[in-house]
Amino acid sequence: MKTHPFSEDASHSVAPEPAQPARLHVRLGQIWPAGHFGRLGETIAFTWRRMWRAPVGQPEPVWSRQLVLLALAGLVAVVLLLPFDATVMDFILSNRNQLMRWLASLSQTGKSEWYLVPALLLYLVAATADWRNAGHRVRARLVVLFGQASFLFSSVAITGIAVNLVKIVVGRARPSMFGELGAYHFDPFVVSKYFSSFPSGHSTTLGTVAAVLMIWFPRQWLPIGVVFLTLSSFRVPAAAHYPSDVVGGFMFGLVLTIAMARFLAARRVAFRPRKGKLLPAATGIGRKKQP
């Protein structure tokens, strides 16, 4: 019985092939022959079924106590920052200078397309490959590439859609309306860019990417979190969001992405659970070094 190239069996359980001559290279035409669309459709159908299968064994719960506490910590941070939003924005708008403009430009690292486009391209490269003509080592690398690229794309896209829905429900006025409406004007269910301040979409993207990198490099979770939260905070000097918007968006992306990774880990899709740990392990990335 043949296994699909992106199944766990294909990446880890297939016995290695006999050693090849040192300078033998796999031709690209062997891995990506004609019939790309057929292989893409097959891969999408297989991964969809695999993603919604029953959990394997006794998995860690998706919403673990640690994840719930992380979400509550984010909520508390938002509540604590709310009283300072007006004061901070009044200072920002009264001190527009070159430094503020420079920090505002750095905040553009939160644009979702910076992550969606490369992830989609890598996904297509792996999903259209003909794994049957690739050796075990190449096949295993394609599995890792496919799983992580598809997760990065999906997590940025899903959290981006979700945060836009939350923006509509909350309807907080943007800092551009600060002089007219103040920092605490809410007009729920109004679909307008002027009433979409909370949570910050750029910060949500950065929180999402931070979560993915934390999973890939769990020992560096703290510096990753600090760097990406700092980048998110530059949405305030850009006069695009209030501090509470930034923290709310960052934590929204972070928590939701970790929850999605834990869901997949329970089904052994791209991730595997780590008992008692908040972050699951990415299949095929630093496997020997992770506890």
Side-chain angles (χ1 to χ4, degrees):
M1 178 179 177
K2 295 181 179 179
T3 57
H4 190 275
F6 303 120
S7 69
E8 188 172 329
D9 293 337
S11 60
H12 301 296
S13 300
V14 176
E17 296 175 350
Q20 300 293 332
R23 295 186 177 275
L24 182 62
H25 297 284
V26 177
R27 295 179 181 177
L28 293 181
Q30 290 179 289
I31 305 177
W32 289 278
H36 302 85
F37 292 107
R39 290 193 299 275
L40 177 61
E42 178 189 356
T43 298
I44 292 174
F46 175 85
T47 52
W48 181 260
R49 293 193 302 269
R50 181 72 179 270
M51 186 172 64
W52 293 107
R53 71 175 182 175
V56 178
Q58 300 274 330
E60 297 280 308
V62 173
W63 289 98
S64 66
R65 183 172 178 270
Q66 293 170 304
L67 190 57
V68 172
L69 289 176
L70 181 63
L72 289 176
L75 180 61
V76 169
V78 169
V79 172
L80 292 177
L81 285 172
L82 271 172
F84 301 98
D85 282 348
T87 303
V88 171
M89 192 50 60
D90 184 56
F91 173 82
I92 293 296
L93 295 176
S94 302
N95 294 273
R96 306 302 294 162
N97 52 44
Q98 185 58 40
L99 174 61
M100 295 296 181
R101 287 189 287 273
W102 182 70
L103 294 176
S105 66
L106 286 178
S107 75
Q108 295 305 309
T109 54
K111 280 192 169 184
S112 59
E113 50 264 39
W114 288 110
Y115 311 98
L116 288 173
V117 174
L120 178 60
L121 291 176
L122 292 174
Y123 168 86
L124 292 174
V125 166
T128 57
D130 184 359
W131 64 281
R132 296 174 182 86
N133 289 323
H136 173 76
R137 182 176 298 179
V138 174
R139 186 159 64 244
R141 289 176 178 174
L142 286 172
V143 170
V144 175
L145 178 64
F146 172 82
Q148 301 310 314
S150 59
F151 180 72
L152 177 59
F153 178 87
S154 300
S155 58
V156 172
I158 291 172
T159 57
I161 294 171
V163 77
N164 282 318
L165 294 176
V166 175
K167 284 173 178 284
I168 293 172
V169 173
V170 176
R172 186 180 192 181
R174 289 265 191 180
S176 59
M177 309 289 287
F178 179 73
E180 180 183 351
L181 300 175
Y184 306 106
H185 181 86
F186 297 87
D187 207 343
F189 302 104
V190 172
V191 183
S192 169
K193 65 179 182 179
Y194 299 108
F195 296 93
S196 58
S197 192
F198 182 90
S200 164
H202 282 60
S203 299
T204 297
T205 297
L206 289 169
T208 297
V209 177
V212 174
L213 291 176
M214 287 177 185
I215 294 170
W216 290 352
F217 310 104
R219 294 185 180 181
Q220 284 75 45
W221 69 268
L222 182 57
I224 290 171
V226 170
V227 168
F228 279 80
L229 181 57
T230 300
L231 290 172
S232 299
S233 70
F234 295 155
R235 295 305 284 163
V236 178
H241 289 283
Y242 297 101
S244 59
D245 300 337
V246 167
V247 172
F250 184 85
M251 295 303 295
F252 183 82
L254 183 77
V255 171
L256 187 54
T257 302
I258 294 175
M260 289 189 289
R262 292 177 65 89
F263 174 86
L264 295 175
R267 290 153 179 81
R268 302 299 195 275
V269 177
F271 303 96
R272 54 188 174 84
R274 298 164 65 208
K275 187 171 180 60
K277 301 291 185 179
L278 173 63
L279 301 175
T283 303
I285 297 182
R287 194 171 187 183
K288 294 181 180 179
K289 296 182 179 180
Q290 291 180 2

